[in-house]
Amino acid sequence: MRGCEIAGWGRVLPECVTRFGDQVRYRIADDTSHLDMLAGACRRALDHAGMTIDDIDLVLGAAAAGIQPIPCTAALVWERLTRRGHAAAFDVNSTCTSFITALDVASRYLEAGDHETVLVFSGDVGSRFLNPAQKESYELFSDAGVAVVLRRSKDGATGVIASLQQTWPAHAHDTEIRGGLSHSPAQAFAGSDPADYLFDMDGRRALLGMMRVLPEFFARFHERSGLEYDDIDLWVPHQASAALGPMLDRIGIPADRRIDEVAAYGNMVSASVPFMLTRALDEGRVGSGDTVVLCGTAAGLTANALALRL
């Protein structure tokens, strides 16, 4: 087990609520920036941990779509928090499962002794990339920001038990935003297809791809972790879509030990997993000594799973 523990966490959920039938979605206000949301979550996480900027050795940005191409989002959030911090700052991106990847990376730094305390933040403003003509995705996404403070575990009783990540490149274009970087740079915008700058998803193809690969992926994860289903107190999956419940049934995850809040919160992109994890911690659904599995799928097509002892 890679020894680490969650010392504090913070969330920012926009106050603007949009409803699509019985589905509730949270969308950032026009006068609020992505950076405001991410920095606010970081401040709350530091306060909750009882720490200051000086305690942080590494900042990991784990957003699917950042603030600008250069510099990295972690550097911009760190600038908002301080002008003198000594920490390193860089981004980790596996789109919707970026938080899981960042937690995996952070645990390795902590276990190696390279760092003592890591600030990880996730969050996206997916609402600003949506195409109203694609009803499926337009009514699916919410905005949110989440941050956690991780520190090295001194007693070895908490930390990352196992992790597994894989990408199936045949599905690389099922979910994408094509414009904005070298594929379609800003100076070529006038002659570009405006749709390239909006979120584009082939929902049916993505779902079929996930259904095909996930059973074998989770079988390998269980083999690597040595965990049985009964060993896991709570599954915290990415809140991908309304198909989440049937997908979790397909791979055998018990309904009473999993989170499915797509109707109430929607797909929060990179914030989905940490939002649901920290909410479960606040509500006492899980606590010290419990084992949780953070998991999900992302554009790529990528699958990600990480078992964490709290």
Side-chain angles (χ1 to χ4, degrees), residues 23-282:
Q23 308 288 306
V24 181
R25 303 296 181 249
Y26 295 85
R27 305 283 170 86
I28 197 169
D30 291 340
D31 60 353
T32 302
S33 74
H34 190 185
L35 184 55
D36 293 334
M37 189 171 68
L38 295 175
C42 289
R43 291 190 186 98
R44 292 181 182 182
L46 288 168
D47 288 345
H48 187 226
M51 294 184 182
T52 69
I53 295 299
D54 293 333
D55 295 312
I56 302 301
D57 305 313
L58 174 63
V59 182
L60 291 181
I67 293 166
Q68 60 189 60
I70 296 174
C72 66
T73 299
L76 295 172
V77 170
W78 195 228
E79 179 206 24
R80 178 66 67 90
L81 297 175
T82 182
R83 292 298 186 97
R84 58 179 176 80
H86 64 275
F90 62 89
D91 289 349
V92 174
N93 190 342
S94 60
T95 60
C96 289
T97 62
S98 293
F99 178 81
I100 304 174
T101 303
L103 188 60
D104 191 19
V105 170
S107 72
R108 296 174 191 274
Y109 275 114
L110 294 169
E111 176 69 12
D114 294 333
H115 300 294
E116 293 289 334
T117 310
V118 182
L119 175 64
V120 180
F121 66 82
S122 290
D124 289 281
V125 287
S127 62
R128 291 182 176 169
F129 297 96
L130 296 178
N131 184 348
Q134 292 191 3
K135 182 179 179 181
E136 179 185 9
S137 58
Y138 187 74
E139 296 183 359
L140 175 61
F141 288 93
S142 284
D143 305 330
V146 187
V148 301
V149 177
L150 298 171
R151 63 187 172 200
R152 194 189 313 175
S153 174
K154 294 181 171 56
D155 58 12
T158 61
V160 175
I161 299 169
S163 57
L164 182 65
Q165 182 170 326
Q166 182 176 345
T167 298
W168 290 265
H171 293 272
H173 297 285
D174 291 358
T175 305
E176 61 184 344
I177 297 175
R178 293 174 291 276
L181 296 178
S182 63
H183 173 74
S184 185
Q187 61 266 36
F189 179 80
S192 302
D193 182 352
D196 284 347
Y197 294 82
L198 299 175
F199 182 77
D200 185 28
M201 178 175 69
D202 186 334
R204 183 176 185 276
R205 179 174 164 80
L207 178 60
L208 290 175
M210 288 185 283
M211 292 176 66
R212 180 177 61 82
V213 304
L214 284 184
E216 189 272 337
F217 173 83
F218 277 101
R220 286 195 293 119
F221 173 70
H222 282 290
E223 182 179 359
R224 174 176 291 194
S225 67
L227 295 171
E228 302 293 338
Y229 282 101
D230 288 342
D231 298 326
I232 299 164
D233 296 288
L234 186 65
W235 294 76
V236 186
H238 168 52
Q239 308 292 290
S241 71
L244 177 64
M247 180 63 69
L248 297 178
D249 290 338
R250 180 180 175 84
I251 57 180
I253 297 176
D256 63 339
R257 280 183 280 138
R258 70 195 194 201
I259 295 177
D260 183 353
E261 295 278 11
V262 175
Y265 290 96
N267 182 329
M268 294 178 168
V269 199
S270 68
S272 276
V273 169
F275 186 93
M276 293 303 165
L277 172 63
T278 58
R279 186 165 166 262
L281 288 166
D282 279 335

Side-chain angles (χ1 to χ4, degrees), residues 1 4-7 9 103 150 153 155-161 233-234 236 277-278 280-282 284-294 306-310:
M1 183 161 60
C4 62
E5 61 183 359
I6 299 175
W9 57 86
L103 188 60
L150 298 171
S153 174
D155 58 12
T158 61
V160 175
I161 299 169
D233 296 288
L234 186 65
V236 186
L277 172 63
T278 58
L281 288 166
D282 279 335
R285 188 170 180 182
V286 288
S288 179
D290 287 337
T291 297
V292 299
V293 170
L294 313 180
L306 182 145
L308 180 67
R309 178 81 37 77
L310 297 172

